[in-house]
């Protein structure tokens, strides 16, 4: 019996241009969680962002077994490539926010 194939989404690193394929079933919820976490925020550290995403993903996908911080950073970098998220430094702290 053939294994069902899920839709793949190509993610790109903003600096290196490295591309990687992610399952849409993982990409879309993590992307939505990142955007939800950053909405209305003046800036969040990666740890704050990752913690927020973990809380959201655990509610939406209780059986999720992957590394939430790894998916968060990979998809955040893709969103940066697409111009939706930006990284900036304020008082020596690296922060993430939605682009204006």
């Amino acid at each position: 019996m053939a294994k069902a194939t899920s839709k793949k989404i190509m993610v790109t690193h903003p600096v290196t241009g490295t591309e990687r394929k992610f399952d849409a079933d993982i990409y879309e919820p993590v992307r939505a969680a990142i955007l939800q976490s950053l909405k209305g925020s003046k800036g969040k550290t990666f740890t704050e962002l990752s913690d927020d995403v973990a809380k959201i993903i655990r509610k939406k996908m209780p059986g999720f077994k992957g590394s939430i911080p790894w998916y968060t950073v990979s998809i955040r970098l893709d969103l940066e490539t697409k111009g939706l998220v930006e990284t900036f430094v304020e008082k020596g702290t690296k922060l993430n926010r939605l682009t204006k």
Side-chain angles (χ1 to χ4, degrees):
M1 188 167 174
K3 192 175 182 183
T5 57
S6 61
K7 183 180 174 191
K8 300 286 185 182
I9 295 178
M10 189 70 71
V11 298
T12 308
H13 191 285
V15 177
T16 64
T18 305
E19 294 181 330
R20 179 169 277 161
K21 289 181 184 179
F22 281 30
D23 284 336
D25 295 343
I26 294 173
Y27 179 89
E28 292 301 335
V30 174
R31 176 186 181 276
I34 291 169
L35 296 176
Q36 179 182 335
S37 174
L38 293 176
K39 187 176 181 179
S41 169
K42 293 181 180 175
K44 289 189 176 189
T45 65
F46 177 74
T47 303
E48 293 168 336
L49 176 61
S50 184
D51 289 348
D52 283 354
V53 170
K55 287 176 192 169
I56 294 166
I57 293 299
R58 285 191 186 111
K59 283 182 185 174
K60 289 184 179 179
M61 303 169 70
F64 186 78
K65 298 289 183 202
S67 170
I68 294 173
W70 185 83
Y71 281 106
T72 301
V73 73
S74 298
I75 294 171
R76 186 199 56 78
L77 287 168
D78 183 59
L79 294 176
E80 193 172 313
T81 301
K82 293 175 179 171
L84 297 173
V85 174
E86 65 183 355
T87 302
F88 66 101
V89 177
E90 185 175 279
K91 297 180 183 174
T93 304
K94 195 172 179 182
L95 300 170
N96 303 283
R97 68 179 169 205
L98 296 176
T99 55
K100 294 175 181 164

mmCIF file with all atom_site columns, all heavy atoms in Angstrom, residues 4-26:
data_model
loop_
_atom_site.group_PDB
_atom_site.id
_atom_site.type_symbol
_atom_site.label_atom_id
_atom_site.label_alt_id
_atom_site.label_comp_id
_atom_site.label_asym_id
_atom_site.label_entity_id
_atom_site.label_seq_id
_atom_site.pdbx_PDB_ins_code
_atom_site.Cartn_x
_atom_site.Cartn_y
_atom_site.Cartn_z
_atom_site.occupancy
_atom_site.B_iso_or_equiv
_atom_site.pdbx_formal_charge
_atom_site.auth_seq_id
_atom_site.auth_comp_id
_atom_site.auth_asym_id
_atom_site.auth_atom_id
_atom_site.pdbx_PDB_model_num
ATOM 1   N N   . ALA A 1 4  ? 0.740  7.795  2.010  1.00 0.00 ? 4  ALA A N   1
ATOM 2   C CA  . ALA A 1 4  ? 0.148  9.069  1.630  1.00 0.00 ? 4  ALA A CA  1
ATOM 3   C C   . ALA A 1 4  ? 1.207  10.162 1.714  1.00 0.00 ? 4  ALA A C   1
ATOM 4   O O   . ALA A 1 4  ? 1.944  10.240 2.694  1.00 0.00 ? 4  ALA A O   1
ATOM 5   C CB  . ALA A 1 4  ? -1.018 9.403  2.559  1.00 0.00 ? 4  ALA A CB  1
ATOM 6   N N   . THR A 1 5  ? 1.266  10.980 0.690  1.00 0.00 ? 5  THR A N   1
ATOM 7   C CA  . THR A 1 5  ? 2.248  12.070 0.697  1.00 0.00 ? 5  THR A CA  1
ATOM 8   C C   . THR A 1 5  ? 1.538  13.361 1.074  1.00 0.00 ? 5  THR A C   1
ATOM 9   O O   . THR A 1 5  ? 0.457  13.651 0.577  1.00 0.00 ? 5  THR A O   1
ATOM 10  C CB  . THR A 1 5  ? 2.927  12.228 -0.674 1.00 0.00 ? 5  THR A CB  1
ATOM 11  O OG1 . THR A 1 5  ? 1.925  12.448 -1.655 1.00 0.00 ? 5  THR A OG1 1
ATOM 12  C CG2 . THR A 1 5  ? 3.743  11.009 -1.037 1.00 0.00 ? 5  THR A CG2 1
ATOM 13  N N   . SER A 1 6  ? 2.156  14.106 1.959  1.00 0.00 ? 6  SER A N   1
ATOM 14  C CA  . SER A 1 6  ? 1.570  15.370 2.361  1.00 0.00 ? 6  SER A CA  1
ATOM 15  C C   . SER A 1 6  ? 2.185  16.492 1.545  1.00 0.00 ? 6  SER A C   1
ATOM 16  O O   . SER A 1 6  ? 3.267  16.356 0.993  1.00 0.00 ? 6  SER A O   1
ATOM 17  C CB  . SER A 1 6  ? 1.785  15.600 3.858  1.00 0.00 ? 6  SER A CB  1
ATOM 18  O OG  . SER A 1 6  ? 3.162  15.652 4.143  1.00 0.00 ? 6  SER A OG  1
ATOM 19  N N   . LYS A 1 7  ? 1.484  17.588 1.482  1.00 0.00 ? 7  LYS A N   1
ATOM 20  C CA  . LYS A 1 7  ? 1.952  18.751 0.747  1.00 0.00 ? 7  LYS A CA  1
ATOM 21  C C   . LYS A 1 7  ? 3.215  19.298 1.413  1.00 0.00 ? 7  LYS A C   1
ATOM 22  O O   . LYS A 1 7  ? 3.299  19.356 2.633  1.00 0.00 ? 7  LYS A O   1
ATOM 23  C CB  . LYS A 1 7  ? 0.853  19.811 0.727  1.00 0.00 ? 7  LYS A CB  1
ATOM 24  C CG  . LYS A 1 7  ? 1.211  21.040 -0.063 1.00 0.00 ? 7  LYS A CG  1
ATOM 25  C CD  . LYS A 1 7  ? 0.088  22.048 -0.044 1.00 0.00 ? 7  LYS A CD  1
ATOM 26  C CE  . LYS A 1 7  ? 0.548  23.319 -0.719 1.00 0.00 ? 7  LYS A CE  1
ATOM 27  N NZ  . LYS A 1 7  ? -0.388 24.400 -0.514 1.00 0.00 ? 7  LYS A NZ  1
ATOM 28  N N   . LYS A 1 8  ? 4.181  19.692 0.614  1.00 0.00 ? 8  LYS A N   1
ATOM 29  C CA  . LYS A 1 8  ? 5.442  20.229 1.127  1.00 0.00 ? 8  LYS A CA  1
ATOM 30  C C   . LYS A 1 8  ? 5.516  21.731 0.852  1.00 0.00 ? 8  LYS A C   1
ATOM 31  O O   . LYS A 1 8  ? 5.032  22.208 -0.172 1.00 0.00 ? 8  LYS A O   1
ATOM 32  C CB  . LYS A 1 8  ? 6.647  19.556 0.452  1.00 0.00 ? 8  LYS A CB  1
ATOM 33  C CG  . LYS A 1 8  ? 6.712  18.064 0.664  1.00 0.00 ? 8  LYS A CG  1
ATOM 34  C CD  . LYS A 1 8  ? 7.142  17.716 2.052  1.00 0.00 ? 8  LYS A CD  1
ATOM 35  C CE  . LYS A 1 8  ? 7.308  16.206 2.190  1.00 0.00 ? 8  LYS A CE  1
ATOM 36  N NZ  . LYS A 1 8  ? 7.679  15.821 3.520  1.00 0.00 ? 8  LYS A NZ  1
ATOM 37  N N   . ILE A 1 9  ? 6.130  22.449 1.773  1.00 0.00 ? 9  ILE A N   1
ATOM 38  C CA  . ILE A 1 9  ? 6.352  23.884 1.616  1.00 0.00 ? 9  ILE A CA  1
ATOM 39  C C   . ILE A 1 9  ? 7.848  24.132 1.707  1.00 0.00 ? 9  ILE A C   1
ATOM 40  O O   . ILE A 1 9  ? 8.514  23.628 2.617  1.00 0.00 ? 9  ILE A O   1
ATOM 41  C CB  . ILE A 1 9  ? 5.594  24.687 2.696  1.00 0.00 ? 9  ILE A CB  1
ATOM 42  C CG1 . ILE A 1 9  ? 4.085  24.496 2.491  1.00 0.00 ? 9  ILE A CG1 1
ATOM 43  C CG2 . ILE A 1 9  ? 5.985  26.159 2.656  1.00 0.00 ? 9  ILE A CG2 1
ATOM 44  C CD1 . ILE A 1 9  ? 3.228  25.190 3.508  1.00 0.00 ? 9  ILE A CD1 1
ATOM 45  N N   . MET A 1 10 ? 8.372  24.902 0.752  1.00 0.00 ? 10 MET A N   1
ATOM 46  C CA  . MET A 1 10 ? 9.799  25.221 0.726  1.00 0.00 ? 10 MET A CA  1
ATOM 47  C C   . MET A 1 10 ? 10.049 26.434 1.623  1.00 0.00 ? 10 MET A C   1
ATOM 48  O O   . MET A 1 10 ? 9.400  27.466 1.474  1.00 0.00 ? 10 MET A O   1
ATOM 49  C CB  . MET A 1 10 ? 10.233 25.537 -0.709 1.00 0.00 ? 10 MET A CB  1
ATOM 50  C CG  . MET A 1 10 ? 11.712 25.675 -0.877 1.00 0.00 ? 10 MET A CG  1
ATOM 51  S SD  . MET A 1 10 ? 12.611 24.131 -0.709 1.00 0.00 ? 10 MET A SD  1
ATOM 52  C CE  . MET A 1 10 ? 12.129 23.293 -2.185 1.00 0.00 ? 10 MET A CE  1
ATOM 53  N N   . VAL A 1 11 ? 10.974 26.280 2.577  1.00 0.00 ? 11 VAL A N   1
ATOM 54  C CA  . VAL A 1 11 ? 11.368 27.402 3.429  1.00 0.00 ? 11 VAL A CA  1
ATOM 55  C C   . VAL A 1 11 ? 12.787 27.808 3.048  1.00 0.00 ? 11 VAL A C   1
ATOM 56  O O   . VAL A 1 11 ? 13.605 26.979 2.677  1.00 0.00 ? 11 VAL A O   1
ATOM 57  C CB  . VAL A 1 11 ? 11.264 27.072 4.934  1.00 0.00 ? 11 VAL A CB  1
ATOM 58  C CG1 . VAL A 1 11 ? 9.850  26.766 5.332  1.00 0.00 ? 11 VAL A CG1 1
ATOM 59  C CG2 . VAL A 1 11 ? 12.170 25.938 5.319  1.00 0.00 ? 11 VAL A CG2 1
ATOM 60  N N   . THR A 1 12 ? 13.055 29.119 3.138  1.00 0.00 ? 12 THR A N   1
ATOM 61  C CA  . THR A 1 12 ? 14.333 29.660 2.700  1.00 0.00 ? 12 THR A CA  1
ATOM 62  C C   . THR A 1 12 ? 14.969 30.474 3.815  1.00 0.00 ? 12 THR A C   1
ATOM 63  O O   . THR A 1 12 ? 14.297 31.270 4.470  1.00 0.00 ? 12 THR A O   1
ATOM 64  C CB  . THR A 1 12 ? 14.129 30.561 1.462  1.00 0.00 ? 12 THR A CB  1
ATOM 65  O OG1 . THR A 1 12 ? 13.393 29.845 0.488  1.00 0.00 ? 12 THR A OG1 1
ATOM 66  C CG2 . THR A 1 12 ? 15.456 30.999 0.883  1.00 0.00 ? 12 THR A CG2 1
ATOM 67  N N   . HIS A 1 13 ? 16.274 30.310 4.003  1.00 0.00 ? 13 HIS A N   1
ATOM 68  C CA  . HIS A 1 13 ? 17.041 31.098 4.977  1.00 0.00 ? 13 HIS A CA  1
ATOM 69  C C   . HIS A 1 13 ? 17.338 32.458 4.345  1.00 0.00 ? 13 HIS A C   1
ATOM 70  O O   . HIS A 1 13 ? 17.786 32.527 3.205  1.00 0.00 ? 13 HIS A O   1
ATOM 71  C CB  . HIS A 1 13 ? 18.340 30.369 5.327  1.00 0.00 ? 13 HIS A CB  1
ATOM 72  C CG  . HIS A 1 13 ? 19.065 30.953 6.485  1.00 0.00 ? 13 HIS A CG  1
ATOM 73  N ND1 . HIS A 1 13 ? 19.783 32.123 6.389  1.00 0.00 ? 13 HIS A ND1 1
ATOM 74  C CD2 . HIS A 1 13 ? 19.170 30.554 7.771  1.00 0.00 ? 13 HIS A CD2 1
ATOM 75  C CE1 . HIS A 1 13 ? 20.316 32.403 7.568  1.00 0.00 ? 13 HIS A CE1 1
ATOM 76  N NE2 . HIS A 1 13 ? 19.944 31.459 8.427  1.00 0.00 ? 13 HIS A NE2 1
ATOM 77  N N   . PRO A 1 14 ? 17.111 33.565 5.065  1.00 0.00 ? 14 PRO A N   1
ATOM 78  C CA  . PRO A 1 14 ? 17.267 34.889 4.480  1.00 0.00 ? 14 PRO A CA  1
ATOM 79  C C   . PRO A 1 14 ? 18.711 35.274 4.121  1.00 0.00 ? 14 PRO A C   1
ATOM 80  O O   . PRO A 1 14 ? 18.927 36.084 3.231  1.00 0.00 ? 14 PRO A O   1
ATOM 81  C CB  . PRO A 1 14 ? 16.711 35.835 5.540  1.00 0.00 ? 14 PRO A CB  1
ATOM 82  C CG  . PRO A 1 14 ? 16.830 35.084 6.818  1.00 0.00 ? 14 PRO A CG  1
ATOM 83  C CD  . PRO A 1 14 ? 16.664 33.636 6.457  1.00 0.00 ? 14 PRO A CD  1
ATOM 84  N N   . VAL A 1 15 ? 19.691 34.717 4.796  1.00 0.00 ? 15 VAL A N   1
ATOM 85  C CA  . VAL A 1 15 ? 21.086 35.090 4.543  1.00 0.00 ? 15 VAL A CA  1
ATOM 86  C C   . VAL A 1 15 ? 21.755 34.127 3.573  1.00 0.00 ? 15 VAL A C   1
ATOM 87  O O   . VAL A 1 15 ? 22.343 34.543 2.574  1.00 0.00 ? 15 VAL A O   1
ATOM 88  C CB  . VAL A 1 15 ? 21.884 35.170 5.871  1.00 0.00 ? 15 VAL A CB  1
ATOM 89  C CG1 . VAL A 1 15 ? 23.344 35.490 5.598  1.00 0.00 ? 15 VAL A CG1 1
ATOM 90  C CG2 . VAL A 1 15 ? 21.278 36.207 6.797  1.00 0.00 ? 15 VAL A CG2 1
ATOM 91  N N   . THR A 1 16 ? 21.653 32.845 3.843  1.00 0.00 ? 16 THR A N   1
ATOM 92  C CA  . THR A 1 16 ? 22.365 31.850 3.041  1.00 0.00 ? 16 THR A CA  1
ATOM 93  C C   . THR A 1 16 ? 21.585 31.413 1.806  1.00 0.00 ? 16 THR A C   1
ATOM 94  O O   . THR A 1 16 ? 22.172 30.895 0.862  1.00 0.00 ? 16 THR A O   1
ATOM 95  C CB  . THR A 1 16 ? 22.680 30.598 3.873  1.00 0.00 ? 16 THR A CB  1
ATOM 96  O OG1 . THR A 1 16 ? 21.448 29.968 4.252  1.00 0.00 ? 16 THR A OG1 1
ATOM 97  C CG2 . THR A 1 16 ? 23.503 30.936 5.098  1.00 0.00 ? 16 THR A CG2 1
ATOM 98  N N   . GLY A 1 17 ? 20.262 31.593 1.830  1.00 0.00 ? 17 GLY A N   1
ATOM 99  C CA  . GLY A 1 17 ? 19.432 31.138 0.717  1.00 0.00 ? 17 GLY A CA  1
ATOM 100 C C   . GLY A 1 17 ? 19.188 29.640 0.727  1.00 0.00 ? 17 GLY A C   1
ATOM 101 O O   . GLY A 1 17 ? 18.595 29.096 -0.195 1.00 0.00 ? 17 GLY A O   1
ATOM 102 N N   . THR A 1 18 ? 19.647 28.959 1.779  1.00 0.00 ? 18 THR A N   1
ATOM 103 C CA  . THR A 1 18 ? 19.443 27.517 1.907  1.00 0.00 ? 18 THR A CA  1
ATOM 104 C C   . THR A 1 18 ? 17.947 27.221 1.934  1.00 0.00 ? 18 THR A C   1
ATOM 105 O O   . THR A 1 18 ? 17.189 27.898 2.616  1.00 0.00 ? 18 THR A O   1
ATOM 106 C CB  . THR A 1 18 ? 20.096 26.997 3.208  1.00 0.00 ? 18 THR A CB  1
ATOM 107 O OG1 . THR A 1 18 ? 21.456 27.385 3.213  1.00 0.00 ? 18 THR A OG1 1
ATOM 108 C CG2 . THR A 1 18 ? 19.981 25.497 3.328  1.00 0.00 ? 18 THR A CG2 1
ATOM 109 N N   . GLU A 1 19 ? 17.544 26.197 1.186  1.00 0.00 ? 19 GLU A N   1
ATOM 110 C CA  . GLU A 1 19 ? 16.135 25.822 1.138  1.00 0.00 ? 19 GLU A CA  1
ATOM 111 C C   . GLU A 1 19 ? 15.924 24.446 1.758  1.00 0.00 ? 19 GLU A C   1
ATOM 112 O O   . GLU A 1 19 ? 16.796 23.588 1.669  1.00 0.00 ? 19 GLU A O   1
ATOM 113 C CB  . GLU A 1 19 ? 15.633 25.819 -0.302 1.00 0.00 ? 19 GLU A CB  1
ATOM 114 C CG  . GLU A 1 19 ? 15.625 27.192 -0.928 1.00 0.00 ? 19 GLU A CG  1
ATOM 115 C CD  . GLU A 1 19 ? 15.101 27.191 -2.347 1.00 0.00 ? 19 GLU A CD  1
ATOM 116 O OE1 . GLU A 1 19 ? 15.266 26.166 -3.043 1.00 0.00 ? 19 GLU A OE1 1
ATOM 117 O OE2 . GLU A 1 19 ? 14.539 28.211 -2.748 1.00 0.00 ? 19 GLU A OE2 1
ATOM 118 N N   . ARG A 1 20 ? 14.780 24.282 2.366  1.00 0.00 ? 20 ARG A N   1
ATOM 119 C CA  . ARG A 1 20 ? 14.435 23.016 3.014  1.00 0.00 ? 20 ARG A CA  1
ATOM 120 C C   . ARG A 1 20 ? 12.925 22.813 2.861  1.00 0.00 ? 20 ARG A C   1
ATOM 121 O O   . ARG A 1 20 ? 12.169 23.771 2.909  1.00 0.00 ? 20 ARG A O   1
ATOM 122 C CB  . ARG A 1 20 ? 14.816 23.133 4.491  1.00 0.00 ? 20 ARG A CB  1
ATOM 123 C CG  . ARG A 1 20 ? 14.503 21.944 5.319  1.00 0.00 ? 20 ARG A CG  1
ATOM 124 C CD  . ARG A 1 20 ? 15.142 22.062 6.669  1.00 0.00 ? 20 ARG A CD  1
ATOM 125 N NE  . ARG A 1 20 ? 16.508 21.598 6.477  1.00 0.00 ? 20 ARG A NE  1
ATOM 126 C CZ  . ARG A 1 20 ? 17.509 21.850 7.291  1.00 0.00 ? 20 ARG A CZ  1
ATOM 127 N NH1 . ARG A 1 20 ? 17.328 22.575 8.343  1.00 0.00 ? 20 ARG A NH1 1
ATOM 128 N NH2 . ARG A 1 20 ? 18.710 21.394 7.064  1.00 0.00 ? 20 ARG A NH2 1
ATOM 129 N N   . LYS A 1 21 ? 12.498 21.572 2.702  1.00 0.00 ? 21 LYS A N   1
ATOM 130 C CA  . LYS A 1 21 ? 11.073 21.268 2.558  1.00 0.00 ? 21 LYS A CA  1
ATOM 131 C C   . LYS A 1 21 ? 10.488 20.857 3.904  1.00 0.00 ? 21 LYS A C   1
ATOM 132 O O   . LYS A 1 21 ? 11.065 20.041 4.613  1.00 0.00 ? 21 LYS A O   1
ATOM 133 C CB  . LYS A 1 21 ? 10.867 20.133 1.558  1.00 0.00 ? 21 LYS A CB  1
ATOM 134 C CG  . LYS A 1 21 ? 11.146 20.511 0.137  1.00 0.00 ? 21 LYS A CG  1
ATOM 135 C CD  . LYS A 1 21 ? 10.881 19.341 -0.781 1.00 0.00 ? 21 LYS A CD  1
ATOM 136 C CE  . LYS A 1 21 ? 11.249 19.697 -2.202 1.00 0.00 ? 21 LYS A CE  1
ATOM 137 N NZ  . LYS A 1 21 ? 11.033 18.566 -3.113 1.00 0.00 ? 21 LYS A NZ  1
ATOM 138 N N   . PHE A 1 22 ? 9.344  21.452 4.221  1.00 0.00 ? 22 PHE A N   1
ATOM 139 C CA  . PHE A 1 22 ? 8.612  21.118 5.447  1.00 0.00 ? 22 PHE A CA  1
ATOM 140 C C   . PHE A 1 22 ? 7.224  20.619 5.058  1.00 0.00 ? 22 PHE A C   1
ATOM 141 O O   . PHE A 1 22 ? 6.649  21.086 4.078  1.00 0.00 ? 22 PHE A O   1
ATOM 142 C CB  . PHE A 1 22 ? 8.421  22.358 6.324  1.00 0.00 ? 22 PHE A CB  1
ATOM 143 C CG  . PHE A 1 22 ? 9.617  22.754 7.130  1.00 0.00 ? 22 PHE A CG  1
ATOM 144 C CD1 . PHE A 1 22 ? 10.904 22.517 6.704  1.00 0.00 ? 22 PHE A CD1 1
ATOM 145 C CD2 . PHE A 1 22 ? 9.457  23.400 8.340  1.00 0.00 ? 22 PHE A CD2 1
ATOM 146 C CE1 . PHE A 1 22 ? 12.002 22.902 7.446  1.00 0.00 ? 22 PHE A CE1 1
ATOM 147 C CE2 . PHE A 1 22 ? 10.542 23.789 9.097  1.00 0.00 ? 22 PHE A CE2 1
ATOM 148 C CZ  . PHE A 1 22 ? 11.809 23.538 8.652  1.00 0.00 ? 22 PHE A CZ  1
ATOM 149 N N   . ASP A 1 23 ? 6.671  19.713 5.859  1.00 0.00 ? 23 ASP A N   1
ATOM 150 C CA  . ASP A 1 23 ? 5.283  19.301 5.667  1.00 0.00 ? 23 ASP A CA  1
ATOM 151 C C   . ASP A 1 23 ? 4.378  20.490 5.970  1.00 0.00 ? 23 ASP A C   1
ATOM 152 O O   . ASP A 1 23 ? 4.569  21.178 6.977  1.00 0.00 ? 23 ASP A O   1
ATOM 153 C CB  . ASP A 1 23 ? 4.905  18.161 6.619  1.00 0.00 ? 23 ASP A CB  1
ATOM 154 C CG  . ASP A 1 23 ? 5.477  16.822 6.185  1.00 0.00 ? 23 ASP A CG  1
ATOM 155 O OD1 . ASP A 1 23 ? 5.760  16.662 4.987  1.00 0.00 ? 23 ASP A OD1 1
ATOM 156 O OD2 . ASP A 1 23 ? 5.638  15.947 7.054  1.00 0.00 ? 23 ASP A OD2 1
ATOM 157 N N   . ALA A 1 24 ? 3.392  20.714 5.120  1.00 0.00 ? 24 ALA A N   1
ATOM 158 C CA  . ALA A 1 24 ? 2.439  21.801 5.329  1.00 0.00 ? 24 ALA A CA  1
ATOM 159 C C   . ALA A 1 24 ? 1.694  21.622 6.652  1.00 0.00 ? 24 ALA A C   1
ATOM 160 O O   . ALA A 1 24 ? 1.316  22.602 7.295  1.00 0.00 ? 24 ALA A O   1
ATOM 161 C CB  . ALA A 1 24 ? 1.459  21.880 4.169  1.00 0.00 ? 24 ALA A CB  1
ATOM 162 N N   . ASP A 1 25 ? 1.506  20.358 7.063  1.00 0.00 ? 25 ASP A N   1
ATOM 163 C CA  . ASP A 1 25 ? 0.803  20.068 8.318  1.00 0.00 ? 25 ASP A CA  1
ATOM 164 C C   . ASP A 1 25 ? 1.560  20.597 9.535  1.00 0.00 ? 25 ASP A C   1
ATOM 165 O O   . ASP A 1 25 ? 0.966  20.793 10.594 1.00 0.00 ? 25 ASP A O   1
ATOM 166 C CB  . ASP A 1 25 ? 0.603  18.560 8.482  1.00 0.00 ? 25 ASP A CB  1
ATOM 167 C CG  . ASP A 1 25 ? -0.306 17.975 7.414  1.00 0.00 ? 25 ASP A CG  1
ATOM 168 O OD1 . ASP A 1 25 ? -1.025 18.751 6.748  1.00 0.00 ? 25 ASP A OD1 1
ATOM 169 O OD2 . ASP A 1 25 ? -0.301 16.744 7.242  1.00 0.00 ? 25 ASP A OD2 1
ATOM 170 N N   . ILE A 1 26 ? 2.854  20.806 9.406  1.00 0.00 ? 26 ILE A N   1
ATOM 171 C CA  . ILE A 1 26 ? 3.658  21.373 10.488 1.00 0.00 ? 26 ILE A CA  1
ATOM 172 C C   . ILE A 1 26 ? 3.894  22.864 10.236 1.00 0.00 ? 26 ILE A C   1
ATOM 173 O O   . ILE A 1 26 ? 3.762  23.681 11.148 1.00 0.00 ? 26 ILE A O   1
ATOM 174 C CB  . ILE A 1 26 ? 5.006  20.636 10.619 1.00 0.00 ? 26 ILE A CB  1
ATOM 175 C CG1 . ILE A 1 26 ? 4.764  19.195 11.058 1.00 0.00 ? 26 ILE A CG1 1
ATOM 176 C CG2 . ILE A 1 26 ? 5.933  21.355 11.604 1.00 0.00 ? 26 ILE A CG2 1
ATOM 177 C CD1 . ILE A 1 26 ? 6.002  18.323 11.052 1.00 0.00 ? 26 ILE A CD1 1
#
